[in-house]
Amino acid sequence: MEKRGPVLHIVVVGFHHKKGCQVEFSYPPLKPGEGHDSHSLPEEWKYLPFLALPDGAHNYQEDTVFFHLPPRCGDRTTVYGVSCYRQIEAKALKVRQADITRETVQKSVCVLSQLPLYGLLQAKLQLITHAYFEEKDFSQISILKELYDHMNSSLGNTSLEGSQVYLGLSPRDLVLHFRHKVLILFKLILLEKKVLFYISPVNRLVGALMTVLSLFPGMIEHGLSDCSQYRPRKSISEDAGLQENRPQLDDYVSVSAADASNANLEMGEGDKNMAGNNSLEGQKANVPFSQPEKTCNGAQSSNGTVQRLKVPSRASPASSESDWETLDPSVLEESNLKEGEREAPASEQTENLRSKGVSSESLPITVQPQANTGHTVLVQGLVSGLEEDQYGMPLAIFTKGYLCLPYMALQQHHLLSDVTVRGFVAGATNILFRQQKHLSDAIVEIEDAHVQIHDPELRKILNPTTADLRFSDYLVKHVTENRDDVFLDGTGWEGGDEWIRAQFSAYLHALLAAVLQPDNEKILSDFGTAFVTAWKNTHNYRVWNSNKHPALAEVNSSHPFQGQYSVSDVKLRLSHSVQNSERGKRIGNAMVSTSRNVVQTGKAVGQSVGGAFTSAKSAMSSWFSTFTHSTQSLGD
């Protein structure tokens, strides 16, 4: 069936008492030529039932899941899934099939989309799921077919610019919960570390994870198209044959920029002239998206010929990680202009800032709202393959084997140690993921707002600078203001969701502008010298740095909160240390415990002294009363 819009399929997943999670209905069918009630799945989407019907779902009456699926053969982008889960008592059904043997029936209605409209799809899907369950007859599938037609007609012209993309993702709630740690999460992802989010139920998990990603300019709109390039495991025995299957694995993962550059050199002089031009015509040099089958190894170019790019060989997992982690700087220099030409824009930026009277001692930047004209110019990134704006946003973080999996099923656990996966931002509800700490660099426990970083060196790199602490404190103060006022809570610009995203956008733009400046050690120290050094070794930085971004000449290249050290900074640093270090937490707990004991002791002493005084007073009163009565008797 011809695709008429962004929605690819409507799928119903149920739990069978013998077979487990399985697809019960799909419209259009997931595999061409099969019926709507077929249980078979494309090999690339074999984990779909376990993602749509999450682990531990039986503990909740209803839940919502966001998940990502790898592209199928012939497709080039991530498939975005939204699933609404509900359960109902079997005795309440009007029509009860023979295979329903349990007291409750658990099902999920799922939308597979080409657009990352998580919150918008969720809002529509929740209503339909409720209506589908209210029928109490799951054979009534006409409502699901109507949902498919309605979504494609209503979302067909939906733009990825604007508030619809961020529906349901609240940075304000994130800052209220994580407070100063939000910037640490932001930097962890910039460094392309292995980050695991953990909480149950799933809707809190995926909501927090995707909200963190929404802080990166353009990331949700255009930065996730290559974020789920993984190969499903066929069997346990596949691990033993990993070396034999390595060529097929290499076909599946993205190729390095070095190979893309070499391919440019082989295209002829006509195509060479376009190598430095970041235009849509530069798609000839794009890295082909991964394909799981041998028939999809090549990428179709605009002239109809198939280009096959050779992937670098890897002798071991260690060398594999090294290959994926960095790009050869010489490759990027070849595709760039000469070094002298590179430095010219930096000096021009400095002159522009001086001519505008921008001082390094200027006040903190507060970003004001800008009208969304809908005329944002996006061009195809030559190396990243993503649609980029004039600043090079979104950064190419979720490319080349760095995965974004808002929810991971237990069946996907092997991806955490897969040699073709160089990193991930993933969410899990199963405690087995959290227990295996050696498979991640950081575990974010959402319930306690705790960010557990295992490596001491990484903790040092992410230790916030004074300017970073000011930035975080600025966010927290603005978000917490008016939070108790029901009429102002979250409705104003300052402290609102869009305002927070604007602050992080300004922070990132300032960082990018700073790295372009000559003699920038002092400027970069406000962002963290160790952090910037580590960031310059990441794939996303090298891809960004391989192109020119003249628009950054208009951006102030200093930290938004740079300035002289003051007494308030000492308080900030002390507060952060107490809240985030283990030693500080122990001291804080000891102080709270001591204070509580003092209060309790004071109450006990007060009660004792007060009780003794009351008893003495009562005794005196009783004696005086007796004495008065005796005196009166003697008088008589």
Side-chain angles (χ1 to χ4, degrees), residues 376-416:
T376 304
V377 178
L378 298 173
V379 294
Q380 196 81 8
L382 183 64
V383 179
S384 69
L386 305 175
E387 292 186 3
E388 301 174 355
D389 65 10
Q390 57 187 342
Y391 302 104
M393 301 291 103
L395 294 175
I397 296 175
F398 296 102
T399 59
K400 201 183 175 189
Y402 191 79
L403 305 182
C404 174
L405 303 173
Y407 171 68
M408 281 190 76
L410 190 59
Q411 289 77 5
Q412 295 176 299
H413 184 271
H414 67 280
L415 294 176
L416 301 186

Side-chain angles (χ1 to χ4, degrees), residues 239-310:
D239 289 339
L242 186 61
Q243 286 297 118
E244 299 176 7
N245 293 335
R246 183 60 55 82
Q248 294 180 5
L249 283 174
D250 290 349
D251 286 342
Y252 188 67
V253 295
S254 306
V255 301
S256 68
D259 297 300
S261 179
N262 292 337
N264 287 342
L265 298 177
E266 294 173 2
M267 287 181 187
E269 293 296 325
D271 291 334
K272 280 183 182 179
N273 295 334
M274 294 192 297
N277 183 19
N278 196 8
S279 67
L280 290 173
E281 295 178 1
Q283 292 184 31
K284 292 182 180 180
N286 283 352
V287 178
F289 285 82
S290 54
Q291 308 296 348
E293 301 178 12
K294 292 183 179 179
T295 57
C296 305
N297 291 343
Q300 193 76 14
S301 68
S302 58
N303 60 8
T305 60
V306 175
Q307 303 167 19
R308 285 182 168 82
L309 306 184
K310 183 180 178 182

Side-chain angles (χ1 to χ4, degrees), residues 103-121:
E103 294 181 357
T104 58
V105 179
Q106 302 160 6
K107 293 186 187 295
S108 286
V109 181
C110 174
V111 172
L112 302 183
S113 170
Q114 298 179 96
L115 296 178
L117 300 171
Y118 305 98
L120 188 60
L121 293 174

Side-chain angles (χ1 to χ4, degrees), residues 402-516:
Y402 191 79
L403 305 182
C404 174
L405 303 173
Y407 171 68
M408 281 190 76
L410 190 59
Q411 289 77 5
Q412 295 176 299
H413 184 271
H414 67 280
L415 294 176
L416 301 186
S417 55
D418 194 323
V419 294
T420 65
V421 175
R422 64 184 179 92
F424 54 81
V425 176
T429 59
N430 195 300
I431 196 171
L432 293 177
F433 286 94
R434 189 181 65 172
Q435 290 174 341
Q436 297 186 319
K437 298 180 180 180
H438 63 286
L439 296 178
S440 61
D441 296 313
I443 296 178
V444 182
E445 298 192 29
I446 300 174
E447 183 68 43
D448 303 324
H450 179 53
V451 182
Q452 183 179 359
I453 300 173
H454 314 314
D455 182 13
E457 287 301 317
L458 181 57
R459 284 200 294 269
K460 290 181 181 178
I461 291 174
L462 292 171
N463 192 36
T465 64
T466 299
D468 280 349
L469 286 176
R470 293 172 186 162
F471 173 75
S472 299
D473 192 59
Y474 180 70
L475 293 178
V476 172
K477 284 183 177 178
H478 276 72
V479 167
T480 53
E481 287 178 359
N482 300 323
R483 62 174 298 192
D484 296 327
D485 192 326
V486 69
F487 296 105
L488 296 177
D489 188 28
T491 60
W493 163 250
E494 287 200 5
D497 292 337
E498 293 301 323
W499 179 86
I500 295 171
R501 291 191 187 98
Q503 302 307 311
F504 276 93
S505 178
Y507 181 94
L508 187 55
H509 287 166
L511 173 60
L512 295 171
V515 298
L516 295 176

Side-chain angles (χ1 to χ4, degrees), residues 318-353:
S319 63
S320 165
E321 185 174 351
S322 176
D323 287 344
W324 291 126
E325 189 64 23
T326 60
L327 292 172
D328 185 359
S330 62
V331 174
L332 303 179
E333 290 172 5
E334 289 175 6
S335 62
N336 262 345
L337 300 177
K338 295 180 181 179
E339 190 66 28
E341 296 172 340
R342 175 80 184 186
E343 292 178 358
S347 60
E348 291 174 7
Q349 291 175 20
T350 307
E351 289 299 323
N352 289 338
L353 293 177

Side-chain angles (χ1 to χ4, degrees), residues 7 33 63 67 91 154 161 166-167 171 192 243 332 367 392 407 528 563 582:
V7 174
D63 205 354
F67 59 90
K91 63 182 181 182
S154 62
E161 307 295 333
Y166 301 121
L167 185 65
E192 298 177 350
Q243 286 297 118
L332 303 179
V367 181
Y407 171 68
E582 291 301 323

